[in-house]
Amino acid sequence: MFELKWLWKYMGRKRHLFVIAMILSAVTSAMLVLNPMLSQKLIDEVITPRDTRLLLPILGAMLAVQVTRLSLRYIMIICLEKNSQQMLDDVRKRIYRVIQDQDYRFYSRFRTGDLMTRVTSDLDLIRHATAWISYNIVDSVVLFTTTLVFLCNMNLPLTLCLAAITPFILVITYLFSKKIRPMYVDLRSKLARMSTVAQENIAGNRVVKAFANENYEEQKFNKCNEDFRQKNLQAAYVGAKFQPVIELLSQSLTVTSLLVGGIFMIQGSLTAGEMMAFSSLTWALANPLRNLGILINDIQRFFASCRMVIEIFYAQPTITDRASARAPKHRPLGDVEFRNVSFSLNGNQILNNISFHIGAGKTLGIMGTTGSGKTSLVSMIDRIYEPTSGEVLLDGKRVQEYTLHSLRRTIGVAPQEVFLFSDTVTGNVAYGNPDQPFRETVHWLKAADADNFSRRLKNGYDTLIGERGVGLSGGQKQRLALARALSMKPSVLILDDTTSAVDMETERYIQQQLQNLDFPCTKIIIAQRVSSIKHADQILVMDHGRIIERGTHEELLENRGYYYRIWALQNGLEKEAVTLGA
């Protein structure tokens, strides 16, 4: 099976430990037959004839077998744990790297809760299969085979009587496996759905509280939880139906051994020692068969989880480094050009034939209606999105000619939806440049007007801010995001509505700081306020994925179009704006 081949391949450098463990498992399972053999000799050659000469050697051999077996068993468990933990570590790192490399198409297919389930519980089930199911299967097969061979050599007719029951157990096990497998696939999807609902509720806790929708969210989670519980119960009911049948057939081996063995003893074809050996080894035939139900259960869970992990493991991003991509030898100047760029997403046309040029060190302002494609436009520069047609150039070279890492390290982004990590203030600001001196971090906090409120926090710059910046206002989060973008000293700085939540005075201060940066930088500012972009060297006005106006602030006011209407509304000239709109 592909899942098993994949698991074997990615055991990696600890694979030899797994092989050693399987060999030790087989050896120690086979050794379980030795003490019943010695017990037979003890009864037939020492106790029955009352000859004590072999008593101590046999007892010593039995003790040595047990000590040796337990020692080898200990080594086997250590090998399996080292192997499985190393495999888990390697696969989890690889999956995390794969997830990091993915683009928007991947995240539109997989929900966060589903990904978390695959990285945690699914991988734990795979480790469980490597460290526990594997050696239990080897134990069961070797123990059953070794016992069967030993009993055949001792008394073939009695062994055949016991062996006649085993096919019934195998048939029951096969039927159980066939019925339970699809249940675990469905169970796995129910778990992922429940995890997603919980994750979304936690992430969107503010929205839930704002709408007083706790009861609705609780009902939604309870429904998912109930579905998961019902599926678990269905799987448990199937197991409950099959397990007693398997148990009954397994116990019948003991009854058969006593009944048929007793008849053979009466007839004289079976010694007391042989009868004891048969009785003591009946469990060695019954136990592997009895464990089949549990093992099949776990194997089906393993295959269901393994398929989910493999789907992520081999996921390929659509936006990758081209074979010809190279890291630039020098820091890019920041000259940005769009040539006839169009972009569609899921069949919807987002951008249509966009062309513009902004020279290095200049400022570009972008304004437009909601959904006009402003964010999608700037996302082409650092290749978050790829154009459907057309070219995006940085310093005269297509952005695909740069490696993704080098390209994105030269572009600083303060996104529209601010995300802050569960870290200190300075940790968040220095995220893109962790090795920068503390004084430099403070410098960027001041440039973004985030220094004053940061120092007033409980522990100042070392204050741990909550996940997504919980505990900070919208404006404070925006300023920290701006400081984070500035700390990279990027060649191109993209501000996507970054000052929408700050007051006019703070915005004016930030604009002054941006105009006096101590490093060369091309600035692209998306804003709804005219005041945020009126000093830009060029302003683009967008609507439905097209550029409908372009020019400087003065030129656009003279055009008396969309830009002028927005300016009029924001400057208290509502009547004029309404007249122009009509």
Side-chain angles (χ1 to χ4, degrees):
M1 292 223 180
F2 178 75
E3 290 90 348
L4 297 178
K5 289 180 181 177
W6 172 82
L7 186 61
W8 174 252
K9 179 180 179 181
Y10 286 96
M11 280 184 182
R13 56 185 179 274
K14 299 290 184 180
R15 189 183 297 156
H16 65 284
L17 293 177
F18 181 80
V19 175
I20 292 170
M22 292 302 100
I23 293 171
L24 291 176
S25 175
V27 169
T28 52
S29 294
M31 288 177 71
L32 284 168
V33 179
L34 294 177
N35 275 347
M37 289 172 63
L38 293 170
S39 297
Q40 178 203 344
K41 287 187 174 294
L42 185 67
I43 292 172
D44 290 342
E45 297 180 22
V46 176
I47 296 174
T48 302
R50 298 184 180 181
D51 185 354
T52 59
R53 286 177 299 175
L54 294 176
L55 178 61
L56 290 178
I58 290 175
L59 291 176
M62 292 175 73
L63 180 62
V65 165
Q66 194 66 4
V67 170
T68 303
R69 181 181 173 279
L70 292 175
S71 300
L72 293 177
R73 204 70 172 175
Y74 172 77
I75 296 171
M76 178 203 77
I77 291 171
I78 295 299
C79 287
L80 279 175
E81 282 299 321
K82 283 188 174 182
N83 165 260
S84 62
Q85 292 293 348
Q86 184 64 56
M87 180 275 300
L88 185 67
D89 182 66
D90 291 343
V91 172
R92 185 172 281 147
K93 284 177 182 175
R94 164 68 186 267
I95 287 180
Y96 190 76
R97 188 166 63 250
V98 167
I99 292 174
Q100 290 282 80
D101 291 340
Q102 295 304 318
D103 51 56
Y104 66 96
R105 295 184 189 276
F106 176 86
Y107 290 104
S108 65
R109 283 175 55 211
F110 296 101
R111 297 166 298 188
T112 304
D114 187 25
L115 290 175
M116 291 300 297
T117 302
R118 296 183 194 223
V119 175
T120 52
S121 61
D122 282 335
L123 278 179
D124 284 335
L125 271 170
I126 293 174
R127 193 203 74 81
H128 173 70
T130 308
W132 189 84
I133 298 175
S134 56
Y135 86 79
N136 270 278
I137 291 173
V138 173
D139 273 3
S140 298
V141 171
V142 172
L143 181 60
F144 184 85
T145 305
T146 307
T147 302
L148 201 61
V149 170
F150 171 66
L151 295 180
C152 282
N153 286 331
M154 188 183 300
N155 191 299
L156 184 59
L158 179 55
T159 305
L160 291 176
C161 290
L162 296 177
I165 299 171
T166 57
F168 296 102
I169 300 176
L170 294 174
V171 169
I172 295 294
T173 303
Y174 170 75
L175 294 174
F176 173 63
S177 169
K178 191 175 180 181
K179 193 172 183 63
I180 201 74
R181 185 165 191 165
M183 286 187 171
Y184 280 125
V185 174
D186 194 24
L187 190 64
R188 170 58 186 72
S189 71
K190 296 292 183 186
L191 175 61
R193 173 61 185 157
M194 185 173 68
S195 299
T196 298
V197 170
Q199 182 272 331
E200 288 177 349
N201 183 267
I202 294 168
N205 187 257
R206 279 188 173 183
V207 177
V208 174
K209 290 187 181 301
F211 284 84
N213 237 2
E214 290 90 346
N215 288 338
Y216 170 75
E217 289 296 328
E218 187 175 346
Q219 288 170 11
K220 187 165 70 171
F221 179 80
N222 287 344
K223 185 180 183 305
C224 293
N225 192 31
E226 179 62 19
D227 288 345
F228 183 63
R229 185 182 75 87
Q230 289 294 341
K231 287 296 175 185
N232 256 318
L233 284 175
Q234 285 179 19
Y237 290 154
V238 171
K241 288 177 184 177
F242 280 92
Q243 198 62 36
V245 179
I246 295 174
E247 187 72 24
L248 177 64
L249 291 171
S250 300
Q251 290 298 331
S252 65
L253 291 172
T254 304
V255 176
T256 303
S257 173
L258 292 172
L259 180 62
V260 179
I263 293 172
F264 286 168
M265 275 191 70
I266 293 170
Q267 293 175 346
S269 58
L270 193 71
T271 66
E274 290 173 338
M275 181 61 184
M276 181 183 177
F278 261 95
S279 298
S280 60
L281 281 175
T282 301
W283 71 269
L285 291 177
N287 234 37
L289 299 175
R290 189 184 296 118
N291 287 339
L292 274 176
I294 299 171
L295 290 174
I296 291 294
N297 237 336
D298 286 334
I299 288 170
Q300 298 309 326
R301 286 178 181 269
F302 160 74
F303 279 117
S305 291
C306 203
R307 279 195 298 274
M308 297 298 175
V309 170
I310 288 173
E311 187 179 9
I312 301 297
F313 194 87
Y314 288 110
Q316 294 295 321
T318 55
I319 298 176
T320 57
D321 284 334
R322 304 289 174 88
S324 59
R326 297 288 183 272
K329 294 180 180 179
H330 306 288
R331 180 180 183 272
L333 298 175
D335 184 276
V336 177
E337 184 178 0
F338 276 57
R339 292 180 183 170
N340 305 315
V341 170
S342 294
F343 172 61
S344 60
L345 178 63
N346 299 326
N348 298 318
Q349 191 73 25
I350 309 298
L351 299 174
N352 199 333
N353 199 32
I354 300 291
S355 295
F356 67 86
H357 175 256
I358 180 72
K362 301 294 185 179
T363 300
L364 174 70
I366 303 176
M367 177 180 280
T369 57
T370 302
S372 59
K374 303 183 294 297
T375 300
S376 298
L377 179 73
V378 296
S379 296
M380 301 285 171
I381 302 172
D382 56 358
R383 295 187 68 199
I384 298 299
Y385 292 148
E386 290 274 54
T388 307
S389 62
E391 295 180 328
V392 180
L393 296 92
L394 177 63
D395 286 2
K397 292 172 60 178
R398 295 169 67 238
V399 289
Q400 287 84 358
E401 295 180 38
Y402 297 89
T403 61
L404 282 171
H405 182 266
S406 64
L407 176 69
R408 291 170 179 171
R409 293 297 297 178
T410 61
I411 298 171
V413 182
Q416 188 175 16
E417 295 182 6
V418 178
F419 183 94
L420 297 175
F421 295 91
S422 298
D423 199 352
T424 62
V425 171
T426 52
N428 270 282
V429 173
Y431 180 75
N433 189 12
D435 297 326
Q436 70 182 8
F438 175 73
R439 65 179 181 279
E440 195 168 328
T441 302
V442 174
H443 170 69
W444 300 123
L445 281 166
K446 290 179 179 178
D449 197 30
D451 182 60
N452 288 332
F453 80 78
S454 296
R455 283 190 283 106
R456 288 197 300 268
L457 294 173
K458 183 178 179 181
N459 295 314
Y461 300 123
D462 294 325
T463 301
L464 283 168
I465 57 180
E467 186 180 359
R468 294 179 177 267
V470 174
L472 299 178
S473 70
Q476 289 172 333
K477 287 190 285 187
Q478 284 186 337
R479 281 177 276 172
L480 285 178
L482 174 58
R484 179 170 61 190
L486 289 172
S487 72
M488 294 177 64
K489 297 183 180 179
S491 299
V492 179
L493 177 65
I494 299 173
L495 307 180
D496 190 352
D497 224 3
T498 304
T499 57
S500 61
V502 302
D503 57 77
M504 299 296 289
E505 185 179 347
T506 301
E507 182 187 38
R508 191 176 299 111
Y509 172 83
I510 291 173
Q511 287 174 356
Q512 291 172 355
Q513 295 298 312
L514 290 175
Q515 289 170 8
N516 298 293
L517 293 176
D518 53 7
F519 61 90
C521 175
T522 301
K523 294 172 280 294
I524 299 177
I525 304 171
I526 297 175
Q528 296 299 334
R529 289 179 185 169
V530 171
S531 59
S532 300
I533 58 175
K534 68 179 182 180
H535 298 296
D537 298 287
Q538 183 182 177
I539 299 170
L540 304 179
V541 180
M542 297 185 64
D543 185 38
H544 291 93
R546 296 177 180 271
I547 297 175
I548 58 172
E549 296 180 46
R550 71 175 76 205
T552 63
H553 173 69
E554 291 76 16
E555 291 169 347
L556 291 175
L557 289 182
E558 288 178 9
N559 288 343
R560 300 177 72 83
Y562 176 88
Y563 184 85
Y564 182 84
R565 290 200 305 273
I566 298 300
W567 174 83
L569 283 171
Q570 293 179 3
N571 285 274
L573 304 174
E574 289 87 351
K575 290 183 179 180
E576 188 169 352
V578 171
T579 303
L580 286 168

